[in-house]
């Protein structure tokens, strides 16, 4: 089996995580949720009393936490200093502060190095999902995919995940997050020039998964 590195980028609520995990599982690849790593370092900052609105303080602490990502798509894990962080990193507090922390260049450098080392060590290849994978982290990825969807569709999905969250408030939060991620100086959210764009607005999750699996299989066949 040809080893293959797949980069899947896009904003929140486009189905990145669900798609990436399912594609990796189906094709026997490793899986990495890079957003979880930025959430993990944000959670560590909050827990350790670092002022996340102070870029200098965040930069000074960037190298301190030990972040370990498990890459099994059936059960991805993330620990910080040996502590399971998979639950705590999904809190609203972390969600509201992760953009500020992840905009700090020293944080991006640290996490990008971590992501590259994980991708390089994947035995059969890996699906890596995030916001700057195809542009910055893995610019030589075999296949780059950029998932999009309308703000309304994304808000409805995210509100559904959050069980009863207000859809209009969720939509506003997503648009605000998009703006923060797209305009930051270091590694902004952007579609790579050679990425395949997939609009998931009117597609079921299963259709998106099938579309991406087909793209990966085509890429593998072309490489033989």
């Amino acid at each position: 089996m040809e080893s293959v590195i797949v980069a899947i980028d896009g904003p929140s609520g486009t189905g990145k995580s669900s798609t990436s995990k399912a594609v990796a599982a189906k094709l026997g690849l490793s899986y990495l949720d890079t957003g979880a790593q930025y959430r993990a370092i944000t959670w560590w900052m909050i827990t350790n009393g670092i002022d996340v609105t102070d870029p200098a303080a965040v930069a000074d602490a960037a190298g301190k936490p030990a972040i370990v990502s498990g890459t099994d798509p059936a059960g991805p894990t993330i620990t910080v200093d040996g502590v399971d962080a998979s639950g705590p990193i999904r809190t609203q507090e972390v969600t509201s502060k992760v953009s500020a922390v992840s905009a700090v260049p020293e944080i991006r450098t640290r996490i990008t190095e971590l992501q590259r080392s994980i991708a390089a060590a994947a035995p059969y290849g890996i699906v890596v999902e995030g916001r700057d994978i195809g542009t910055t982290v893995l610019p030589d990825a075999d296949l780059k995919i950029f998932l999009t969807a309308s703000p309304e569709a994304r808000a409805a999905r995210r509100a559904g995940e959050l069980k009863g969250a207000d859809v209009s408030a969720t939509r506003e939060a997503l648009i605000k997050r998009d703006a923060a991620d797209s305009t930051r100086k270091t590694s902004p959210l952007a579609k790579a020039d050679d990425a395949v764009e997939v609009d998931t607005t009117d597609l079921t999750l299963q259709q998106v998964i099938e579309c991406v699996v087909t793209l990966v299989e085509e890429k593998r066949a072309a490489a033989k």
Side-chain angles (χ1 to χ4, degrees):
M1 188 84 80
E2 282 293 316
S3 175
V4 63
I5 291 179
V6 183
I8 299 186
D9 289 307
S12 301
T14 53
K16 278 201 313 283
S17 294
S18 302
T19 300
S20 300
K21 271 187 278 202
V23 169
K26 204 163 186 176
L27 296 173
L29 304 174
S30 299
Y31 160 75
L32 179 61
D33 174 359
T34 64
Q37 295 175 314
Y38 285 106
R39 284 176 171 274
I41 206 163
T42 301
W43 174 68
W44 183 92
M45 297 278 169
I46 295 166
T47 307
N48 285 273
I50 309 295
D51 180 359
V52 299
T53 64
D54 180 353
V58 171
D60 284 344
K64 291 181 180 175
I67 296 169
V68 178
S69 298
T71 58
D72 178 356
T77 57
I78 187 152
T79 63
V80 182
D81 295 338
V83 177
D84 177 10
S86 52
I89 64 171
R90 301 295 170 187
T91 62
Q92 187 52 47
E93 185 180 19
V94 171
T95 299
S96 66
K97 294 175 176 175
V98 66
S99 283
V101 171
S102 58
V104 176
E106 288 82 356
I107 293 287
R108 297 209 77 79
T109 298
R110 161 93 202 277
I111 300 294
T112 296
E113 287 171 358
L114 185 58
Q115 291 161 0
R116 286 175 178 158
S117 66
I118 291 168
Y124 303 108
I126 192 167
V127 178
V128 183
E129 57 130 323
R131 287 171 168 75
D132 66 338
I133 310 306
T135 53
T136 301
V137 180
L138 299 169
D140 297 326
D142 300 300
L143 176 64
K144 301 175 190 177
I145 293 166
F146 193 84
L147 297 185
T148 64
S150 71
E152 291 72 24
R154 292 165 51 209
R157 288 171 191 163
R158 187 47 53 94
E161 288 169 12
L162 299 173
K163 302 288 182 289
D166 180 82
V167 176
S168 61
T170 303
R171 180 178 179 274
E172 292 308 311
L174 286 174
I175 290 170
K176 189 176 174 186
R177 175 85 196 265
D178 290 351
D181 291 343
S182 302
T183 57
R184 65 173 176 242
K185 288 191 173 67
T186 308
S187 303
L189 164 67
K191 178 188 165 194
D193 292 340
D194 53 348
V196 179
E197 185 167 320
V198 179
D199 188 333
T200 70
T201 303
D202 298 316
L203 300 178
T204 64
L205 175 59
Q206 201 50 48
Q207 286 172 321
V208 179
I209 293 164
E210 285 167 9
C211 171
V212 175
V213 166
T214 300
L215 288 168
V216 176
E217 288 175 336
E218 285 172 353
K219 181 61 73 172
R220 271 182 165 165
K224 284 180 179 171

mmCIF file of all heavy atoms in Angstrom, residues 28-57:
data_model
loop_
_atom_site.group_PDB
_atom_site.id
_atom_site.type_symbol
_atom_site.label_atom_id
_atom_site.label_comp_id
_atom_site.label_asym_id
_atom_site.label_seq_id
_atom_site.Cartn_x
_atom_site.Cartn_y
_atom_site.Cartn_z
ATOM 1 N N GLY A 28 -7.023 2.815 6.529
ATOM 2 C CA GLY A 28 -5.926 2.281 7.338
ATOM 3 C C GLY A 28 -4.807 3.273 7.588
ATOM 4 O O GLY A 28 -3.626 2.904 7.697
ATOM 5 N N LEU A 29 -5.171 4.551 7.689
ATOM 6 C CA LEU A 29 -4.186 5.606 7.911
ATOM 7 C C LEU A 29 -4.253 6.111 9.351
ATOM 8 O O LEU A 29 -5.243 5.915 10.048
ATOM 9 C CB LEU A 29 -4.454 6.785 6.961
ATOM 10 C CG LEU A 29 -4.490 6.464 5.466
ATOM 11 C CD1 LEU A 29 -4.905 7.699 4.670
ATOM 12 C CD2 LEU A 29 -3.138 5.967 4.995
ATOM 13 N N SER A 30 -3.183 6.765 9.780
ATOM 14 C CA SER A 30 -3.205 7.459 11.069
ATOM 15 C C SER A 30 -4.041 8.728 10.920
ATOM 16 O O SER A 30 -4.371 9.142 9.798
ATOM 17 C CB SER A 30 -1.783 7.814 11.503
ATOM 18 O OG SER A 30 -1.006 6.647 11.668
ATOM 19 N N TYR A 31 -4.361 9.352 12.054
ATOM 20 C CA TYR A 31 -5.217 10.552 12.040
ATOM 21 C C TYR A 31 -4.697 11.545 13.066
ATOM 22 O O TYR A 31 -4.332 11.168 14.185
ATOM 23 C CB TYR A 31 -6.657 10.154 12.374
ATOM 24 C CG TYR A 31 -7.523 11.304 12.860
ATOM 25 C CD1 TYR A 31 -8.008 12.262 11.963
ATOM 26 C CD2 TYR A 31 -7.837 11.448 14.203
ATOM 27 C CE1 TYR A 31 -8.782 13.317 12.412
ATOM 28 C CE2 TYR A 31 -8.614 12.506 14.660
ATOM 29 C CZ TYR A 31 -9.086 13.437 13.762
ATOM 30 O OH TYR A 31 -9.846 14.488 14.209
ATOM 31 N N LEU A 32 -4.656 12.813 12.676
ATOM 32 C CA LEU A 32 -4.231 13.849 13.621
ATOM 33 C C LEU A 32 -5.161 15.048 13.569
ATOM 34 O O LEU A 32 -5.358 15.658 12.515
ATOM 35 C CB LEU A 32 -2.796 14.307 13.303
ATOM 36 C CG LEU A 32 -2.241 15.415 14.210
ATOM 37 C CD1 LEU A 32 -2.186 14.964 15.674
ATOM 38 C CD2 LEU A 32 -0.858 15.861 13.742
ATOM 39 N N ASP A 33 -5.735 15.362 14.734
ATOM 40 C CA ASP A 33 -6.576 16.549 14.902
ATOM 41 C C ASP A 33 -5.674 17.658 15.437
ATOM 42 O O ASP A 33 -5.364 17.705 16.624
ATOM 43 C CB ASP A 33 -7.705 16.229 15.894
ATOM 44 C CG ASP A 33 -8.550 17.447 16.245
ATOM 45 O OD1 ASP A 33 -8.266 18.557 15.742
ATOM 46 O OD2 ASP A 33 -9.501 17.284 17.035
ATOM 47 N N THR A 34 -5.232 18.553 14.545
ATOM 48 C CA THR A 34 -4.294 19.591 14.979
ATOM 49 C C THR A 34 -4.973 20.647 15.847
ATOM 50 O O THR A 34 -4.342 21.257 16.699
ATOM 51 C CB THR A 34 -3.623 20.275 13.770
ATOM 52 O OG1 THR A 34 -4.623 20.954 12.997
ATOM 53 C CG2 THR A 34 -2.894 19.259 12.899
ATOM 54 N N GLY A 35 -6.268 20.834 15.638
ATOM 55 C CA GLY A 35 -6.999 21.790 16.463
ATOM 56 C C GLY A 35 -6.964 21.394 17.924
ATOM 57 O O GLY A 35 -6.891 22.243 18.824
ATOM 58 N N ALA A 36 -7.002 20.074 18.186
ATOM 59 C CA ALA A 36 -6.952 19.582 19.563
ATOM 60 C C ALA A 36 -5.627 19.969 20.225
ATOM 61 O O ALA A 36 -5.578 20.237 21.431
ATOM 62 C CB ALA A 36 -7.135 18.071 19.593
ATOM 63 N N GLN A 37 -4.559 20.015 19.434
ATOM 64 C CA GLN A 37 -3.257 20.390 19.995
ATOM 65 C C GLN A 37 -3.253 21.864 20.419
ATOM 66 O O GLN A 37 -2.719 22.211 21.476
ATOM 67 C CB GLN A 37 -2.155 20.118 18.973
ATOM 68 C CG GLN A 37 -2.016 18.631 18.661
ATOM 69 C CD GLN A 37 -0.999 18.382 17.569
ATOM 70 O OE1 GLN A 37 -0.995 19.055 16.531
ATOM 71 N NE2 GLN A 37 -0.131 17.414 17.787
ATOM 72 N N TYR A 38 -3.853 22.724 19.576
ATOM 73 C CA TYR A 38 -3.935 24.139 19.953
ATOM 74 C C TYR A 38 -4.874 24.338 21.143
ATOM 75 O O TYR A 38 -4.629 25.174 22.017
ATOM 76 C CB TYR A 38 -4.391 24.983 18.753
ATOM 77 C CG TYR A 38 -3.285 25.172 17.750
ATOM 78 C CD1 TYR A 38 -3.274 24.488 16.537
ATOM 79 C CD2 TYR A 38 -2.219 26.025 18.027
ATOM 80 C CE1 TYR A 38 -2.245 24.638 15.630
ATOM 81 C CE2 TYR A 38 -1.178 26.185 17.124
ATOM 82 C CZ TYR A 38 -1.195 25.493 15.933
ATOM 83 O OH TYR A 38 -0.164 25.637 15.053
ATOM 84 N N ARG A 39 -5.927 23.542 21.196
ATOM 85 C CA ARG A 39 -6.829 23.593 22.352
ATOM 86 C C ARG A 39 -6.091 23.129 23.615
ATOM 87 O O ARG A 39 -6.261 23.686 24.690
ATOM 88 C CB ARG A 39 -8.051 22.704 22.107
ATOM 89 C CG ARG A 39 -9.072 23.304 21.156
ATOM 90 C CD ARG A 39 -10.211 22.337 20.860
ATOM 91 N NE ARG A 39 -11.271 23.000 20.121
ATOM 92 C CZ ARG A 39 -12.267 23.688 20.681
ATOM 93 N NH1 ARG A 39 -12.352 23.772 22.006
ATOM 94 N NH2 ARG A 39 -13.190 24.270 19.953
ATOM 95 N N ALA A 40 -5.267 22.083 23.459
ATOM 96 C CA ALA A 40 -4.545 21.532 24.603
ATOM 97 C C ALA A 40 -3.570 22.551 25.195
ATOM 98 O O ALA A 40 -3.496 22.716 26.419
ATOM 99 C CB ALA A 40 -3.798 20.268 24.185
ATOM 100 N N ILE A 41 -2.852 23.240 24.335
ATOM 101 C CA ILE A 41 -1.892 24.214 24.850
ATOM 102 C C ILE A 41 -2.626 25.426 25.432
ATOM 103 O O ILE A 41 -2.190 26.031 26.418
ATOM 104 C CB ILE A 41 -0.843 24.603 23.771
ATOM 105 C CG1 ILE A 41 0.452 25.060 24.434
ATOM 106 C CG2 ILE A 41 -1.366 25.630 22.783
ATOM 107 C CD1 ILE A 41 1.661 25.079 23.514
ATOM 108 N N THR A 42 -3.803 25.741 24.873
ATOM 109 C CA THR A 42 -4.636 26.818 25.430
ATOM 110 C C THR A 42 -5.146 26.429 26.811
ATOM 111 O O THR A 42 -5.103 27.228 27.761
ATOM 112 C CB THR A 42 -5.820 27.125 24.489
ATOM 113 O OG1 THR A 42 -5.308 27.502 23.202
ATOM 114 C CG2 THR A 42 -6.706 28.236 25.037
ATOM 115 N N TRP A 43 -5.617 25.199 26.933
ATOM 116 C CA TRP A 43 -6.104 24.699 28.230
ATOM 117 C C TRP A 43 -4.999 24.740 29.274
ATOM 118 O O TRP A 43 -5.202 25.145 30.417
ATOM 119 C CB TRP A 43 -6.638 23.272 28.066
ATOM 120 C CG TRP A 43 -7.030 22.624 29.362
ATOM 121 C CD1 TRP A 43 -8.077 22.969 30.176
ATOM 122 C CD2 TRP A 43 -6.387 21.511 29.990
ATOM 123 N NE1 TRP A 43 -8.116 22.140 31.276
ATOM 124 C CE2 TRP A 43 -7.090 21.234 31.187
ATOM 125 C CE3 TRP A 43 -5.286 20.708 29.653
ATOM 126 C CZ2 TRP A 43 -6.722 20.195 32.052
ATOM 127 C CZ3 TRP A 43 -4.926 19.675 30.511
ATOM 128 C CH2 TRP A 43 -5.641 19.428 31.692
ATOM 129 N N TRP A 44 -3.775 24.343 28.868
ATOM 130 C CA TRP A 44 -2.635 24.380 29.791
ATOM 131 C C TRP A 44 -2.364 25.812 30.247
ATOM 132 O O TRP A 44 -2.110 26.058 31.427
ATOM 133 C CB TRP A 44 -1.400 23.786 29.112
ATOM 134 C CG TRP A 44 -0.206 23.718 30.018
ATOM 135 C CD1 TRP A 44 0.161 22.656 30.813
ATOM 136 C CD2 TRP A 44 0.760 24.741 30.243
ATOM 137 N NE1 TRP A 44 1.295 22.973 31.517
ATOM 138 C CE2 TRP A 44 1.683 24.246 31.192
ATOM 139 C CE3 TRP A 44 0.938 26.034 29.745
ATOM 140 C CZ2 TRP A 44 2.775 25.000 31.643
ATOM 141 C CZ3 TRP A 44 2.005 26.785 30.204
ATOM 142 C CH2 TRP A 44 2.923 26.281 31.134
ATOM 143 N N MET A 45 -2.423 26.757 29.312
ATOM 144 C CA MET A 45 -2.189 28.174 29.660
ATOM 145 C C MET A 45 -3.217 28.657 30.696
ATOM 146 O O MET A 45 -2.869 29.295 31.694
ATOM 147 C CB MET A 45 -2.288 29.055 28.405
ATOM 148 C CG MET A 45 -1.260 28.768 27.333
ATOM 149 S SD MET A 45 0.316 29.545 27.652
ATOM 150 C CE MET A 45 1.334 28.746 26.405
ATOM 151 N N ILE A 46 -4.490 28.348 30.438
ATOM 152 C CA ILE A 46 -5.563 28.767 31.349
ATOM 153 C C ILE A 46 -5.358 28.132 32.726
ATOM 154 O O ILE A 46 -5.419 28.805 33.764
ATOM 155 C CB ILE A 46 -6.942 28.369 30.780
ATOM 156 C CG1 ILE A 46 -7.234 29.130 29.479
ATOM 157 C CG2 ILE A 46 -8.052 28.618 31.798
ATOM 158 C CD1 ILE A 46 -8.405 28.563 28.678
ATOM 159 N N THR A 47 -5.087 26.828 32.726
ATOM 160 C CA THR A 47 -4.934 26.073 33.981
ATOM 161 C C THR A 47 -3.747 26.574 34.798
ATOM 162 O O THR A 47 -3.770 26.539 36.030
ATOM 163 C CB THR A 47 -4.745 24.569 33.666
ATOM 164 O OG1 THR A 47 -5.808 24.139 32.827
ATOM 165 C CG2 THR A 47 -4.754 23.731 34.923
ATOM 166 N N ASN A 48 -2.715 27.047 34.108
ATOM 167 C CA ASN A 48 -1.505 27.491 34.798
ATOM 168 C C ASN A 48 -1.442 29.006 35.002
ATOM 169 O O ASN A 48 -0.382 29.558 35.320
ATOM 170 C CB ASN A 48 -0.265 26.991 34.047
ATOM 171 C CG ASN A 48 -0.041 25.502 34.266
ATOM 172 O OD1 ASN A 48 0.595 25.104 35.224
ATOM 173 N ND2 ASN A 48 -0.598 24.680 33.389
ATOM 174 N N GLY A 49 -2.590 29.663 34.815
ATOM 175 C CA GLY A 49 -2.670 31.077 35.141
ATOM 176 C C GLY A 49 -1.933 32.011 34.193
ATOM 177 O O GLY A 49 -1.608 33.144 34.555
ATOM 178 N N ILE A 50 -1.667 31.553 32.980
ATOM 179 C CA ILE A 50 -1.020 32.429 31.983
ATOM 180 C C ILE A 50 -2.084 33.349 31.396
ATOM 181 O O ILE A 50 -3.173 32.893 31.029
ATOM 182 C CB ILE A 50 -0.355 31.607 30.854
ATOM 183 C CG1 ILE A 50 0.568 30.516 31.412
ATOM 184 C CG2 ILE A 50 0.372 32.516 29.868
ATOM 185 C CD1 ILE A 50 1.776 31.006 32.158
ATOM 186 N N ASP A 51 -1.769 34.633 31.279
ATOM 187 C CA ASP A 51 -2.706 35.600 30.691
ATOM 188 C C ASP A 51 -2.710 35.407 29.175
ATOM 189 O O ASP A 51 -1.769 35.804 28.486
ATOM 190 C CB ASP A 51 -2.275 37.024 31.048
ATOM 191 C CG ASP A 51 -3.201 38.087 30.469
ATOM 192 O OD1 ASP A 51 -4.171 37.722 29.768
ATOM 193 O OD2 ASP A 51 -2.943 39.290 30.706
ATOM 194 N N VAL A 52 -3.777 34.790 28.658
ATOM 195 C CA VAL A 52 -3.798 34.461 27.226
ATOM 196 C C VAL A 52 -3.982 35.688 26.341
ATOM 197 O O VAL A 52 -3.848 35.599 25.121
ATOM 198 C CB VAL A 52 -4.868 33.391 26.893
ATOM 199 C CG1 VAL A 52 -4.580 32.096 27.631
ATOM 200 C CG2 VAL A 52 -6.267 33.887 27.182
ATOM 201 N N THR A 53 -4.276 36.838 26.942
ATOM 202 C CA THR A 53 -4.370 38.074 26.148
ATOM 203 C C THR A 53 -3.013 38.763 26.040
ATOM 204 O O THR A 53 -2.888 39.803 25.391
ATOM 205 C CB THR A 53 -5.389 39.052 26.771
ATOM 206 O OG1 THR A 53 -4.914 39.464 28.063
ATOM 207 C CG2 THR A 53 -6.758 38.411 26.909
ATOM 208 N N ASP A 54 -1.992 38.179 26.672
ATOM 209 C CA ASP A 54 -0.633 38.743 26.654
ATOM 210 C C ASP A 54 0.257 37.839 25.798
ATOM 211 O O ASP A 54 0.756 36.813 26.275
ATOM 212 C CB ASP A 54 -0.096 38.815 28.091
ATOM 213 C CG ASP A 54 1.321 39.381 28.162
ATOM 214 O OD1 ASP A 54 1.937 39.596 27.086
ATOM 215 O OD2 ASP A 54 1.820 39.585 29.284
ATOM 216 N N PRO A 55 0.467 38.206 24.517
ATOM 217 C CA PRO A 55 1.246 37.343 23.625
ATOM 218 C C PRO A 55 2.645 37.018 24.148
ATOM 219 O O PRO A 55 3.146 35.913 23.933
ATOM 220 C CB PRO A 55 1.320 38.148 22.317
ATOM 221 C CG PRO A 55 0.141 39.065 22.371
ATOM 222 C CD PRO A 55 -0.040 39.404 23.824
ATOM 223 N N ALA A 56 3.268 37.969 24.851
ATOM 224 C CA ALA A 56 4.623 37.736 25.365
ATOM 225 C C ALA A 56 4.606 36.640 26.434
ATOM 226 O O ALA A 56 5.480 35.765 26.469
ATOM 227 C CB ALA A 56 5.207 39.021 25.929
ATOM 228 N N ALA A 57 3.603 36.675 27.296
ATOM 229 C CA ALA A 57 3.490 35.657 28.354
ATOM 230 C C ALA A 57 3.215 34.288 27.742
ATOM 231 O O ALA A 57 3.780 33.270 28.172
ATOM 232 C CB ALA A 57 2.368 36.041 29.323
#
